[in-house]
Amino acid sequence: MKSLALTAISAAVFAAASSETHAYFIDDSALDIKLRTVHFDINGNGRDDTWSQTAEGIELNYKSGYFADTIGFDASYYGVIALDHSGKNPYDIESEGGQLLSKDDSGFHKVGQGFVKLKTGDQSGRGIYTQIGYMNGKNGGLKGSDSRSIPSGYRGVLVEGYLMDGWMVHGDYFDRVSLQSETSWDYLTTKSKEKINYVWQLGSVYNSDNWRAEGFYLESEDYSKQFSGTLAYTFILNDDTTLMLEGMYYGLGENGKKWDKHGFDDKASQYTFTTELVYSGFTGTLIYGSTSAEKDGALGELFDGASYNSYGSSPSRISYLVGSFKFDGEKVWQAEAGYDFGKMGWEGFNAKIGYIFGSDINDPTWKKMEKEKEVFAELSYFFSKSSPLKGLSFKVQKGWGKTEYQNKDTESENALRAYIDYTVNIF
């Protein structure tokens, strides 16, 4: 009788614990729908017409809670609806599409994410967080891009270790990529379509009240390697004024027989120095940078992809919409001024203007590029969490670029990007 009673008590305790664990798994789950209407257009530079694309991006994002406070599962469905397209894609002369739409300028859908997540401890203190499966990039040189209709993604393993408050180390290993314009999960490849079996990286991020430090080392199999280090310090001048000073170095190089000298011969690098003053709602930023990317007999350019068919995640602050500003020998100055109108009672409204100037370009070709310039502006607005339209935001970016050559020829180009994002929480 005693053993029967103990068995009954044990079963009751286990059932209660399982019920509580199951409740956490369900109660902490969330399902969101994100709608993005996005428009790109570019004109100038000798083109007969304007290239433009307009699309509707759809994301259905599910995030589970954690079973036994340890394991969960996240998944995303992505879809793109073609709204408009005209002209030839100026980003890639080999492609008619592949920006907001697929390469044949049509809509598509796919499984965007699907991964198991594991955690021990707490991400706000000490603990380990892991993702295994199909996911968006998060860290270092493998962040991917979310500037198009839908985000890009990778297949593999991501591990983050939270050692103390403000300090995180990470490791990533990926073997497939899915671009924003593709339905498939493809092998990483070189320009000549040679397979790159994997890419891995190790990195760290540290944030304190004043210091910020980031760095990563990345290698793709027999193709390229990258290293980046950023160190910043913020001076608290008074209650509403800060001054941030930052230095960044970014180095790249060949890593074996698959390297195809895409952009530069054997190695490339860029360093930047940034000063940023924040006063009340005003932000003023000044950046100086220099690039080395030598390429025999051609105009070298820093290429930041871990493979030819993946978007890079350069840590550089330089560039905006039109110009490159990372050619061999190029010295660049970039100035920005922004204002948060929330300080005037217009919460959610932000504006920014800027100017970029690059010179001293080492161009060995007959064209002899000498300078590039760009003026840019950005307006954005988001509705507050207390608004009936919470989750709705707008952003418009415009850039006017100009390139000058030694023979006095010039090329002008301007670009427009507009976004309407709306995220709705289902549960």
Side-chain angles (χ1 to χ4, degrees):
M1 180 66 70
K2 182 177 180 181
S3 62
L4 181 61
L6 290 174
T7 301
I9 293 171
S10 298
V13 170
F14 179 78
S18 297
S19 176
E20 183 178 3
T21 297
H22 184 68
Y24 282 132
F25 181 84
I26 298 299
D27 293 344
D28 291 342
S29 296
L31 179 66
D32 293 337
I33 293 179
K34 178 181 177 180
L35 303 176
R36 163 171 283 187
T37 306
V38 55
H39 173 82
F40 280 17
D41 72 49
I42 289 184
N43 61 64
N45 202 13
R47 275 186 289 276
D48 295 331
D49 59 0
T50 297
W51 171 83
S52 68
Q53 284 188 343
T54 308
E56 184 71 29
I58 304 168
E59 298 180 35
L60 187 64
N61 298 310
Y62 169 75
K63 294 184 177 181
S64 79
Y66 287 91
F67 183 78
D69 202 30
T70 301
I71 185 169
F73 179 79
D74 290 2
S76 299
Y77 163 85
Y78 295 158
V80 176
I81 300 172
L83 301 179
D84 183 62
H85 169 80
S86 64
K88 181 177 175 61
N89 177 11
Y91 292 100
D92 185 354
I93 60 174
E94 300 171 355
S95 170
E96 292 292 332
Q99 289 299 311
L100 304 180
L101 306 172
S102 66
K103 289 190 177 297
D104 61 357
D105 306 321
S106 61
F108 59 93
H109 62 91
K110 66 180 178 181
V111 174
Q113 294 191 100
F115 60 84
V116 174
K117 56 185 182 181
L118 305 164
K119 76 179 180 79
T120 61
D122 191 341
Q123 288 174 258
S124 63
R126 295 181 178 177
I128 298 175
Y129 174 76
T130 303
Q131 294 180 181
I132 305 171
Y134 299 81
M135 68 197 76
N136 300 147
K138 291 178 63 178
N139 300 314
L142 296 170
K143 292 180 181 177
S145 172
D146 64 353
S147 62
R148 270 58 174 178
S149 307
I150 57 174
S152 59
Y154 295 98
R155 185 184 79 170
V157 180
L158 174 153
V159 180
E160 296 174 341
Y162 295 83
L163 307 181
M164 57 186 292
D165 187 26
W167 185 20
M168 184 268 285
V169 296
H170 63 86
D172 310 77
Y173 179 96
F174 298 126
D175 66 353
R176 296 285 185 96
V177 63
S178 186
L179 297 180
Q180 308 100 313
S181 58
E182 300 291 336
T183 60
S184 57
W185 289 83
D186 303 317
Y187 289 111
L188 303 163
T189 68
T190 67
K191 187 174 183 179
S192 60
K193 306 301 182 183
E194 185 176 4
K195 178 183 172 183
I196 299 171
N197 288 299
Y198 57 83
V199 56
W200 64 269
Q201 73 168 348
L202 295 173
S204 179
V205 178
Y206 176 74
N207 285 289
S208 71
D209 292 337
N210 301 92
W211 288 99
R212 176 173 57 84
E214 299 183 31
F216 66 85
Y217 178 80
L218 178 153
E219 283 193 9
S220 47
E221 184 246 352
D222 282 342
Y223 185 69
S224 69
K225 54 188 175 183
Q226 304 179 20
F227 167 79
S228 175
T230 301
L231 183 64
Y233 186 83
T234 300
F235 296 89
I236 311 297
L237 303 182
N238 56 47
D239 289 342
D240 61 357
T241 307
T242 62
L243 177 66
M244 187 273 293
L245 302 178
E246 176 191 273
M248 185 281 300
Y249 176 81
Y250 185 36
L252 308 92
E254 62 85 18
N255 191 44
K257 60 185 179 181
K258 296 180 183 179
W259 174 244
D260 52 9
K261 299 187 177 182
H262 183 61
F264 55 89
D265 284 334
D266 301 316
K267 59 183 179 180
S269 63
Q270 184 184 77
Y271 65 82
T272 62
F273 297 104
T274 301
T275 301
E276 186 169 87
L277 176 68
V278 178
Y279 171 69
S280 189
F282 169 80
T283 300
T285 307
L286 182 64
I287 309 169
Y288 173 78
S290 179
T291 300
S292 174
E294 186 175 349
K295 188 172 179 65
D296 187 31
L299 176 58
E301 184 178 12
L302 188 149
F303 168 71
D304 56 13
S307 68
Y308 177 74
N309 64 332
S310 66
Y311 280 95
S313 301
S314 170
S316 175
R317 292 173 175 261
I318 290 175
S319 84
Y320 196 69
L321 289 184
V322 180
S324 169
F325 302 102
K326 52 185 180 181
F327 291 117
D328 182 42
E330 189 167 15
K331 310 294 189 295
V332 178
W333 287 95
Q334 179 167 328
E336 300 177 9
Y339 191 74
D340 178 359
F341 286 85
K343 297 293 184 178
M344 300 175 61
W346 301 347
E347 183 182 2
F349 181 44
N350 292 270
K352 180 168 67 175
I353 58 173
Y355 176 72
I356 317 174
F357 175 76
S359 61
D360 295 342
I361 299 168
N362 295 328
D363 185 356
T365 68
W366 65 271
K367 295 188 73 173
K368 299 292 183 186
M369 182 190 292
E370 287 192 329
K371 303 173 184 176
E372 55 177 340
K373 310 170 185 177
E374 183 173 352
V375 177
F376 61 87
E378 179 177 312
L379 294 174
S380 63
Y381 181 80
F382 66 88
F383 288 88
S384 68
K385 293 182 179 180
S386 60
S387 168
L389 294 176
K390 67 179 180 179
L392 179 62
S393 65
F394 305 86
K395 182 166 69 174
V396 178
Q397 300 172 309
K398 180 72 174 182
W400 298 265
K402 184 177 182 179
T403 304
E404 299 179 5
Y405 298 89
Q406 193 176 70
N407 62 4
K408 306 304 180 184
D409 283 347
T410 62
E411 294 178 352
S412 297
E413 184 172 283
N414 61 76
L416 171 70
R417 296 183 180 184
Y419 304 85
I420 302 174
D421 290 339
Y422 188 40
T423 301
V424 180
N425 178 246
I426 306 302
F427 62 77

